[in-house]
Amino acid sequence: MVHGHGRQAHSDDRETETLEEFDHVVAHGSLVGHRVQSVDLTDRTFALLSADTTGAVFLGCPMHPDAAAKVRADGALVFPPVPDLPFDPYRGLLYSPDELFEGLAADGYEATPDALAYDWFQRTKADGDIFASMLRSIHDDAISDALDELLVGARVVGVMGGHAMARGTDAYAGAARLGRALARAGFTVATGGGPGAMEAANLGAYAAPHTDEMLDEALELLAKAPSFIPSISDWAGAAFEVRGRWPGGGDSVGIPTWFYGHEPPNAFAGHIAKYFANATREDGLLARCNAGVIFLPGAAGTVQEIFDNATPNYYESRGEPTPMVLVNRTHWTERLPTWPLLQSLAAGRSMESRIALVDSVDEAPGALRRLTGLG
C-alpha cells in the first residue's frame, strides 16, 4: 500500500517538498546541497538569510528579493516561479482529486485547474515554442520523481481497460470489485487514471476499507451519471458525492494524461500523476507495475498497453517477467485476438509461466496469485 506521500527518511535525502520539511531541515542543519521544490518561502526570509545555502537549488519557490539575493550570493541556483501558468512545473508532490477539480461545484469543470491545464496544452503543444515544451518536460519529470517516491516499497498491480465502460453496467461493477479485492490483498492499485474501467478499479480501491454494502450503494449513486459525456461536471460531481458520503477511502494511483484532454481524470485515485507526454505516461505506468498487470476488455489503447508490457517481459529488460492476466476470453481471442499472439511470443521463454487468460473479472485475483506463486 502507499503510505503518506512516499517520502523515505534517508540521511542523504536532500529533496525538500513541503514547508514542514523545510522547517525541519533548517532547525536541524543547513540547506547545503538541498533541492527545494515549489515551497512558498515568502515567510521564511530570516531562515534563508541565516542558513548556509551553498550549492542549494530552489525550484519555483517564492521568496523575498533580499532572500533571493542572499542565497544566490551563497552559490545557490534559483529557478523562480513561472507567472501565468495553470500548473506548477516544479511541483514536488502528485496531484490530489481536490486539487485538480478545485472549483468544480461552484463554476463547473471548465474552470478547474485540470481543464485550464488542458487548454494551455492545446494552445502551446504545436506552436514550436521551446519554452513551453521545456515547461512540459520539467513538469513531467517532477511528476515521475514524485511517483517514484510515493511507490517505494509498494507492490503495484496495474488494472488496464477502456474509458468507454459505463457506470451502472455489470462490467463496471466487476472492475470495481477487482480493485477492492486487490487493495484488500495489500496491493497498490494503479490505473491510467481516467474514466470507465480505470475509474472503476480506483473506486474499488477507495471502497476497500468500507463495508461491502458501501460499494453497492456507491455504484447505484454513480449510475445516475453513467459517462463523462455529455457533462464532465455531472460525472465528476457524482464521484465527489460518493467521496463526501463515505470519506476515508483507500489509496490508489491514477496516471492520466492531458494528451487525451477530452478524457478527464477520475476522482477516486488518491494520488494522481498527470502527464503532458503520453508516451512518458504509458511507459511509466507499466514500468511501475512490479506485481503484475490485469487487462480488462478494451480497444486500441488497451491492446497497445498489452504489448508495451509484453516487450520488456519478452526481453527481460526490467528483470524477471511480471504477471499479465487478460480478462474475458471471447474479447481477447475473437473480437481482438491478442491472446494467441501473446502466447506465441511467450512460448519457450520465462514469461510463458507469467501470462494467463481468464473468463471473468472475479477470476483475475486468483490468476494473479498463481502467476506470482502465492496461491
Side-chain angles (χ1 to χ4, degrees):
M1 302 292 284
V2 290
H3 303 283
H5 72 273
R7 300 288 294 157
Q8 279 197 312
H10 290 317
S11 61
D12 61 348
D13 183 2
R14 294 184 176 273
E15 291 185 18
T16 301
E17 297 156 344
T18 67
L19 195 58
E20 181 183 13
E21 289 178 356
F22 177 86
D23 290 341
H24 177 81
V25 170
V26 169
H28 292 83
S30 74
L31 286 164
V32 172
H34 273 259
R35 282 80 174 97
V36 187
Q37 285 180 258
S38 191
V39 179
D40 189 340
L41 299 175
T42 51
D43 291 331
R44 295 297 186 272
T45 300
F46 179 78
L48 290 169
L49 293 176
S50 305
D52 185 355
T53 58
T54 304
V57 179
F58 295 88
L59 299 166
C61 299
M63 63 180 75
H64 191 277
D66 290 346
K70 182 266 179 185
V71 300
R72 285 192 175 101
D74 280 352
L77 286 175
V78 179
F79 293 79
V82 181
D84 303 321
L85 275 184
F87 64 94
D88 179 2
Y90 304 113
R91 61 181 302 116
L93 305 175
L94 299 183
Y95 294 99
S96 68
D98 289 333
E99 183 180 1
L100 285 177
F101 286 102
E102 183 181 1
L104 175 73
D107 302 309
Y109 174 74
E110 291 73 18
T112 64
D114 185 67
L116 295 175
Y118 174 62
D119 289 344
W120 178 88
F121 180 44
Q122 286 294 98
R123 293 195 307 271
T124 63
K125 66 181 182 180
D127 65 5
D129 183 355
I130 191 171
F131 184 54
S133 63
M134 181 190 74
L135 292 173
R136 293 194 297 269
S137 297
I138 291 172
H139 169 274
D140 286 1
D141 188 67
I143 289 293
S144 291
D145 180 66
L147 185 59
D148 285 337
E149 291 174 354
L150 176 77
L151 295 178
V152 170
R155 294 186 301 155
V156 183
V157 173
V159 179
M160 310 297 156
H163 67 260
M165 184 184 288
R167 296 167 172 174
T169 63
D170 290 342
Y172 185 96
R177 290 195 305 271
L178 171 63
R180 184 178 64 184
L182 293 171
R184 287 179 173 176
F187 294 107
T188 294
V189 174
T191 77
M198 297 171 279
E199 181 190 54
N202 288 128
L203 166 64
Y206 185 87
H210 294 283
T211 64
D212 290 356
E213 290 74 21
M214 172 267 173
L215 181 57
D216 294 335
E217 293 178 38
L219 290 169
E220 187 175 339
L221 192 156
L222 291 169
K224 297 175 183 177
S227 172
F228 63 97
I229 300 170
S231 172
I232 295 176
S233 297
D234 291 348
W235 174 84
F240 279 100
E241 185 177 346
V242 169
R243 288 172 55 95
R245 187 175 299 186
W246 293 280
D251 265 339
S252 64
V253 178
I255 307 181
T257 174
W258 281 294
F259 183 80
Y260 299 125
H262 66 285
E263 191 177 286
N266 77 73
F268 292 111
H271 307 276
I272 301 175
K274 191 152 193 182
Y275 288 87
F276 288 106
N278 187 51
T280 304
R281 168 251 190 176
E282 287 274 9
D283 185 67
L285 170 57
L286 293 167
R288 290 171 174 88
C289 295
N290 56 12
V293 184
I294 296 171
F295 298 92
L296 303 178
T302 310
V303 171
Q304 177 182 342
E305 288 164 346
I306 289 172
F307 291 105
D308 280 347
N309 197 53
T311 300
N313 281 346
Y314 180 88
Y315 289 111
E316 299 188 44
S317 55
R318 294 182 186 140
E320 187 178 343
T322 52
M324 299 176 64
V325 180
L326 276 61
V327 176
N328 191 316
R329 190 177 303 273
T330 300
H331 185 86
W332 294 121
T333 62
E334 296 178 18
R335 183 179 173 212
L336 295 174
T338 303
W339 175 250
L341 178 53
L342 185 62
Q343 273 189 309
S344 298
L345 274 175
R349 305 186 74 88
S350 298
M351 67 179 286
E352 188 172 20
S353 62
R354 293 299 183 95
I355 63 172
L357 175 67
V358 298
D359 291 307
S360 72
V361 71
D362 293 328
E363 298 173 74
L368 185 69
R369 287 195 299 272
R370 289 194 301 276
L371 295 181
T372 54
L374 299 177

